[in-house]
Structure formats: structure tokens, C-alpha cells
Amino acid sequence: MLLSHFSPKPPLSLRSFISSSSTSSFSILPRPKSRLYPSSLGKSHFPPSFACRRCCVSSCSSDRVSMESATSSVDAVTADFKNQSLSAEGNGAGKTGGLRLEDLNWDNSFVKILPGDPRSDPLPRQVYHACYTKVSPSAEVENPQLVAWSESVARLLDLELEEFERPDFPLYFSGASLMAGSVPYAQNYGGHQFGSWAGQLGDGRAITLGEVLNSKSERWELQLKGAGKTPYSRFADGLAVLRSSVREFLCSEAMHHLGIPTTRALSLVKTGKFVARDMFYDGNPKDEPGAIVCRVAPSFLRFGSYQLHASRGKEDLEIVRALADYAIRHHFPHIENMTQSESLSFTTGEDEDSVIDLTANKYAAWAVEISERTASLFARWQGVGFTHGVLNTDNMSILGLTIDYGPFGFLDAFDPSFTPNTTDLPGRRYCFANQPDVGLWNIAQFGAALSAAGLINEKEANYAMERYGTKFMDEYQAIMTRKLGIPKYNKQLIGKLLNNMAVDKVDYTNFFRTLSNLKADPNLPEVELLVPLKSVLLDIGKERKEAWTTWVQSYIQELAASGISDEERKVLMNSVNPKYILRNYLCQTAIDAAEVGDYSEVRRLLKLVERPYDEQPGMEKYARLPPAWAYRPGVCMLSCSS
């Protein structure tokens, strides 16, 4: 197989860097010995010309963190959702000068430029020498209903908010009717699953409607997940259920408002039909309500899009190049326009052959940027305690977006070995602590595909992996420093903290939010040190109190040295430590209501996660620890079935 053409050096391990906890003592991959010294930049990070472009995807912006104080009461919020409807009066929609569905500017460059399948039927099969198959949505619908919608995504598309009121909106976004200008297709890709090459995978239940260009010339692909069979469905039905669709819709928007790059979600439609699913894989399937999410992203290209063609032989290697050229032209245009004057030259060793000039090979520059975007994404996941349960290479976006929300979960009690995927439980390959190393392993596989196609050489592939490690470490340090409100990164302090949190199963989100209440007063009596943390340090004995007291004393010394007032630090810390995350039990409550036709909790949660850093008076119950029932078998976080 051509993927073996290039055998990259084993990527570095990031585990020991993150924590000194004994739970993180092993590593997937050993660290290489080379170091980077950019020849024209000294020991600096990636050049400013790249740094400012790297986060060009709108999801990356950290400016979304709202610092406004909340004014709504719980009664007002409850009344708002009780009366919510699709009318302009009910949801705040009005004439905004936006577009109607008929006026969307479809471009469809993917199907125009890249080779496609000559067949358009959904019969499961191997599809060769093609990046996609044109196939129409086929999910059965019966009086489909709009469950929830994102106004902020509508604005990305320049879509008039009143369009959500249209009686035919659920028809268009369940795939029952096609919009004029749409050219639907399913993408062909492969990937490594749990470390093993799986061959062709592809969009088995996701059908892209096409690409829309907005007034800023931004490109947005619209994709229906659960829209029916495609040639890549294999033995599945191509459908999705309300349970998983609610989770994907809400988490896509929650991640965006946390400031984490992600695919977005425009709408969630209940199809009115039922889908059989065996949630527990015990031979007892049951009927569940069907649903379809309209996902939105600049591109749904993933690592596996390149891997599949690199694995198939000489004829398909040109497709790897065509896909790379397409991605650079439409999503990384600054790389296309690089010149030698940018001096992107780097030294990776002592000999003359160790210089890497990224302006001499746009594919190498592109691979490095993808590597750095991926590293940044994984560092941000660590910052909010998010665990992606299926980090196969087919679920890795080339844009550095969180993509494909199957099993996922946010940490409640801090546990480095946490995984939300029952399939992953034996080896915990994709557990929280492993994810940075897994990202690096996946980058190595992506580099192997590009190398097999002759786009980059071994030295350039290794450099991309090196940049992943450096970028991840830089971002992780910065994130943890901001979370603690300390002036500079302190590995020993943070390592001891994470170890304490793991021992006492401390709630990850609530702890960091509460930490901002500590006062930087080294003269506080020892008996008062833990008082501000009383609500998050539950049921700890004398020995553990001593351990925490010692840590808090060290922490206060760091704070006192910063010279920042307690009030200013609290504001800064609360701007990066969310109060509200999409806890699993909150999702389950919304799902239970939605399955009997009450969508108010789904909509309420959407409003909640749109302001995760705000206090939102009256909504404190949504920040509470999970109730006892949330730990019962069958709560949907641990189910892959969708």
C-alpha cells in the first residue's frame, strides 16, 4: 500500500508536558531530538504573516467571549421560551435585509473542479478515482418539524431570519425538497479507525447540498446529516435519530461560543418518521424519532480525503494533488500567494541540508499550517475539558475544526482517562489525556499521504510534526496560565493541581470558575485558605485538605507576585473559564422532552450555551453537578448509535 511509502519519524509525546500526574505516565509516541531555529526569525514562533492568517476561519475567534453582565431572570427566560414560536414577534426575527432561500448564492466549486463518480445511485460500493458521488437526500419525512435553529449561523449565510418561519423550511432542511442551485453529493474518503487502516469510509449518512458564498465572499458548505443512503453507507441506513441530532446541534453551537473552532449547525429538523436503533448493541433495537441536522462549515475535507487516494495507486496520486490544490486555492489562499520575500526558511539541524524553505513548496507550508491549526484545536479542547470520542483520521478536519460529533463529552469530575465512547473503553486510545498525542499520530498519517503523492518529503513531514508539538505546547501553556490567572506558566504548580483534581475527582469546569474567588493575600490564616473553594472541594479528609492547603499557598504566592488586583484577575479568569458547558445530563433532559414533542429545553439550552462565560442570573442550576440519575446506564453520551 502506498501509505507505507513514507515512514515518518515517530512523533513526540506531549503527555508528560501536560501533567505530572501518575495517570499520565505513559506515552503513545516518543519525542524526536531535532529542534527548530527559524533562520530569519531567531527562536521565535511561526511568522506573524502566518499567525494572523491561521485563525481566518470565523469559528476560531476568541473575541466571542462576552464580558457583559447578564440581566435576565429565570422567570423572564422561562416566559420567553414558553411563548417562543417561529413568528417574528416570538423569536426576535424581523426584516434584516437578508436573503431568502431562493436567493442564496450557490457556487458548488467542489463538484465543478474535482473528479466525480460517474454513477449517482446510492448502492453501496467501492468508488474509485472520484472525490464524491452526486446523490440526493432520500430520508423519508412526514410533516417534518423545525426543532431548533441558530440565528448566528443564518447571519453567516446572509439568510433572512424570517426564513425560519416558512412552512417549507423543514422540507428543504430535511432534504424532502431541494433548493434551486443546490448540487447535492456525498464525499469519498478513507481513514484510520482506532489506529488501523479501514480503507474507504465516506459520507455514509451526510449529504452536502453545496456551497454558498455570502456577501463577504466567504464559502460555506451546507450539509444534511441523516439524509439517507449513499454509496458509502455500507450496511447502514444513512439516517440519524433525534437523540444524537440534538447533541450534535447543541454542541456545535456550544463549542463555537466557547471560542473553539468547529463546524456549525443551522437547523435541527424532526422528520416525523421513526428509525430503529440498537442503542446498547444487545440485539434489542427500538424505534426512535428521526432527525436531520444541517451542518455548516467552510469545508468538510478531512485527513482521510487525502489518505484514501494516496492508498489506491499511481492513478489516484494525482487526485491527492488536485485535492490539495483545491484546498489551498479556496481555503488557504495566502499560501497560494506566498513569495520568497516572506523568508519562511527554517533550520532543523546542524548540516546544510537541514534548511526547510516553505516558500519553495506550497504543499509543505500548507501541511505545516494544518498541523498548527490541529495543535491549537487540541490545546483548546484541553482547556475546556472536551473529549472527542472518535479521533479517527476520517474525523480530522484540514481546517482545524471540531468535526463529527459522535460520542463526545465534557469532563465533570476530572479524570484524565475519561472517554465518552464505549467502543474505546478497553484501550482508551481516545481518552482525554491521550488526545494531544493522538492528534500528532494523525498528523503523521496525513503527512504520509502527502508524501506518497510526492507533495512533501520526509524532512518537511517531520517538520510539520515538530511544529505540531511546539504549537500545542505554546497554546496549552498560554491557556492554562490564563485559566489560573498567573503571570507566567508554572509547570510544577499546574501539574500538582491536575494531580490533586484527579485524586479528588474535582469538577473541572466549576473548579476553575470558582478559583477566581481566591484572594491574593499571603497573610490569610491557614484555616481560611480553602473557604472560597468549599463548594468544589467536596468530602475531602484531613490529609487531602493539607494537600490542597499546600497547593493554595503556592498558588497565592504566584498571584501576589503578579501585581494584578483581585477584581481585575477575577474578570480575566471568568472570561476564559466558562460557567456553563453542555453537560451530558443537560442534553439528556432536553432529548427526553424533545422526544415527546416539547422543544423548549433544546432552545433554552441553545440560548444558555451562546453565553457560556456570563453569569446569567437565575440560570445557576445549569452549572450544577450531574444528578444521580445521570450516571445510569443508557444515558446517551456513551452510545455511538445515532
Side-chain angles (χ1 to χ4, degrees):
M1 186 168 63
L2 281 178
L3 285 179
S4 63
H5 170 77
F6 166 57
S7 299
K9 296 177 182 177
L12 64 160
S13 169
L14 306 169
R15 188 74 44 71
S16 59
F17 174 84
I18 297 173
S19 171
S20 59
S21 167
S22 60
T23 56
S24 301
S25 61
F26 66 96
S27 170
I28 294 177
L29 303 159
R31 177 173 183 144
K33 299 178 180 178
S34 57
R35 294 184 177 272
L36 303 178
Y37 300 102
S39 58
S40 61
L41 299 170
K43 296 183 182 180
S44 64
H45 304 307
F46 218 77
S49 60
F50 263 58
C52 66
R53 296 163 177 153
R54 188 173 303 110
C55 290
C56 60
V57 181
S58 63
S59 320
C60 299
S61 175
S62 60
D63 293 336
R64 293 184 188 86
V65 179
S66 173
M67 299 291 289
E68 303 176 62
S69 60
T71 58
S72 60
S73 68
V74 68
D75 293 336
V77 173
T78 302
D80 175 60
F81 281 97
K82 182 177 180 181
N83 298 321
Q84 184 164 2
S85 70
L86 293 180
S87 67
E89 182 179 356
N91 68 2
K95 292 294 183 183
T96 63
L99 301 175
R100 302 193 67 214
L101 293 177
E102 289 81 3
D103 300 324
L104 290 175
N105 182 16
W106 296 92
D107 182 61
N108 302 313
S109 65
F110 196 85
V111 296
K112 290 178 181 176
I113 295 173
L114 296 166
D117 183 1
R119 294 169 56 177
S120 59
D121 62 272
L123 185 68
R125 62 186 186 276
Q126 290 291 306
V127 176
Y128 293 99
H129 318 311
C131 298
Y132 63 87
T133 300
K134 290 183 180 179
V135 58
S136 295
S138 60
E140 294 184 12
V141 303
E142 184 176 315
N143 188 27
Q145 295 177 281
L146 181 58
V147 173
W149 60 98
S150 170
E151 294 183 2
S152 65
V153 177
R155 293 189 182 98
L156 290 178
L157 305 174
D158 299 330
L159 188 64
E160 168 63 59
L161 298 183
E162 287 186 342
E163 292 298 276
F164 291 113
E165 304 170 39
R166 293 173 52 151
D168 57 354
F169 187 95
L171 293 173
Y172 285 122
F173 288 91
S174 64
S177 299
L178 285 180
M179 287 173 275
S182 167
V183 181
Y185 67 89
Q187 193 189 151
N188 187 17
Y189 51 81
H192 281 85
Q193 297 190 322
F194 295 93
S196 299
W197 178 245
Q200 177 180 293
L201 297 167
D203 287 333
R205 57 181 168 168
I207 296 177
T208 298
L209 298 178
E211 306 151 40
V212 169
L213 296 179
N214 67 12
S215 56
K216 299 176 182 178
S217 297
E218 295 170 334
R219 185 177 304 274
W220 296 100
E221 290 186 18
L222 276 60
Q223 185 181 88
L224 300 183
K225 186 172 181 179
K229 286 187 176 182
T230 77
Y232 315 106
S233 299
R234 289 169 286 177
F235 300 106
D237 56 18
L239 306 176
V241 298
L242 185 62
R243 168 172 48 86
S244 62
S245 300
V246 165
R247 288 168 53 76
E248 171 136 8
F249 176 85
L250 289 175
C251 199
S252 298
E253 293 306 285
M255 293 288 274
H256 167 74
H257 290 285
L258 284 168
I260 296 175
T262 179
T263 58
R264 303 294 303 278
L266 174 66
S267 62
L268 169 60
V269 173
K270 191 175 177 180
T271 64
K273 304 291 285 186
F274 286 88
V275 178
R277 284 291 181 268
D278 186 355
M279 183 192 300
F280 302 110
Y281 303 102
D282 60 2
N284 295 301
K286 72 170 187 175
D287 287 341
E288 298 187 48
I292 294 174
V293 173
C294 179
R295 307 197 295 186
V296 177
S299 174
F300 286 94
L301 280 168
R302 63 259 337 265
F303 290 7
S305 305
Y306 299 83
Q307 286 182 282
L308 178 66
H309 302 293
S311 73
R312 283 185 160 174
K314 184 175 180 180
E315 185 175 349
D316 277 21
L317 295 182
E318 283 305 310
I319 297 180
V320 179
R321 185 180 296 272
L323 274 170
D325 288 339
Y326 171 85
I328 292 170
R329 175 183 174 187
H330 289 91
H331 303 292
F332 300 80
H334 53 280
I335 290 178
E336 191 83 75
N337 299 325
M338 282 191 314
T339 65
Q340 293 291 332
S341 64
E342 295 191 54
S343 301
L344 299 181
S345 181
F346 302 86
T347 300
T348 59
E350 302 299 330
D351 54 76
E352 295 181 358
D353 294 331
S354 63
V355 175
I356 293 177
D357 182 4
L358 297 184
T359 56
N361 183 0
K362 68 176 181 180
Y363 303 114
W366 177 62
V368 167
E369 182 160 349
I370 290 172
S371 183
E372 291 202 343
R373 288 195 188 195
T374 303
S376 177
L377 176 68
F378 278 54
R380 294 185 190 205
W381 287 354
Q382 296 277 307
V384 298
F386 176 80
T387 306
H388 190 300
V390 199
L391 277 178
N392 299 324
T393 56
D394 56 298
N395 291 339
M396 297 285 295
S397 163
I398 65 164
L399 298 180
L401 307 176
T402 313
I403 191 172
D404 288 337
Y405 291 89
F408 68 82
F410 288 87
L411 292 173
D412 292 319
F414 181 65
D415 177 6
S417 67
F418 167 73
T419 179
N421 187 349
T422 52
T423 307
D424 192 33
L425 283 175
R428 298 184 185 269
R429 178 183 177 87
Y430 298 145
C431 72
F432 178 75
N434 276 2
Q435 299 219 350
D437 279 355
V438 169
L440 193 50
W441 191 90
N442 289 346
I443 286 289
Q445 311 317 308
F446 180 63
L450 300 187
S451 179
L455 302 186
I456 62 176
N457 59 36
E458 181 178 352
K459 182 171 61 176
E460 291 164 339
N462 282 328
Y463 181 70
M465 289 187 287
E466 187 93 22
R467 288 307 306 169
Y468 175 97
T470 302
K471 180 66 175 177
F472 177 85
M473 293 182 194
D474 288 346
E475 291 249 350
Y476 182 80
Q477 284 185 353
I479 288 168
M480 296 306 292
T481 300
R482 291 194 298 268
K483 286 179 75 67
L484 268 69
I486 53 181
K488 62 180 183 295
Y489 183 74
N490 185 323
K491 180 179 179 179
Q492 183 176 1
L493 184 76
I494 293 173
K496 185 62 177 176
L497 170 61
L498 296 180
N499 186 73
N500 283 346
M501 292 178 70
V503 169
D504 294 309
K505 307 299 181 188
V506 176
D507 185 84
Y508 192 81
T509 301
N510 288 350
F511 177 84
F512 281 106
R513 185 74 175 194
T514 304
L515 194 61
S516 66
N517 295 328
L518 281 178
K519 305 299 182 184
D521 183 0
N523 299 316
L524 277 175
E526 188 172 302
V527 294
E528 296 181 19
L529 290 176
L530 300 186
V531 172
L533 302 177
K534 184 178 179 180
S535 64
V536 290
L537 298 182
L538 305 173
D539 302 323
I540 60 174
K542 180 180 178 181
E543 182 180 342
R544 296 304 306 153
K545 284 183 180 179
E546 291 176 356
W548 278 104
T549 298
T550 299
W551 183 86
V552 169
Q553 288 172 331
S554 299
Y555 177 54
I556 287 177
Q557 291 293 333
E558 286 283 312
L559 296 181
S562 70
I564 300 175
S565 69
D566 291 333
E567 294 75 15
E568 183 182 357
R569 186 182 68 256
K570 182 178 177 66
V571 170
L572 292 172
M573 289 176 66
N574 286 352
S575 73
V576 296
N577 291 314
K579 180 164 185 174
Y580 302 100
I581 56 168
L582 191 65
R583 295 181 186 268
N584 185 58
Y585 82 92
L586 297 178
C587 264
Q588 189 62 50
T589 300
I591 290 165
D592 290 343
E595 288 185 333
V596 295
D598 179 2
Y599 310 137
S600 61
E601 191 64 17
V602 175
R603 297 168 184 172
R604 185 178 293 110
L605 276 183
L606 176 62
K607 295 300 181 185
L608 181 83
V609 300
E610 286 177 341
R611 295 164 51 208
Y613 298 96
D614 293 351
E615 284 295 329
Q616 302 193 48
M619 304 299 283
E620 290 84 0
K621 69 177 184 178
Y622 289 95
R624 293 174 186 166
L625 296 176
W629 64 260
Y631 298 100
R632 74 174 189 262
V635 173
C636 63
M637 176 188 68
L638 295 177
S639 174
C640 293
S641 178
S642 54

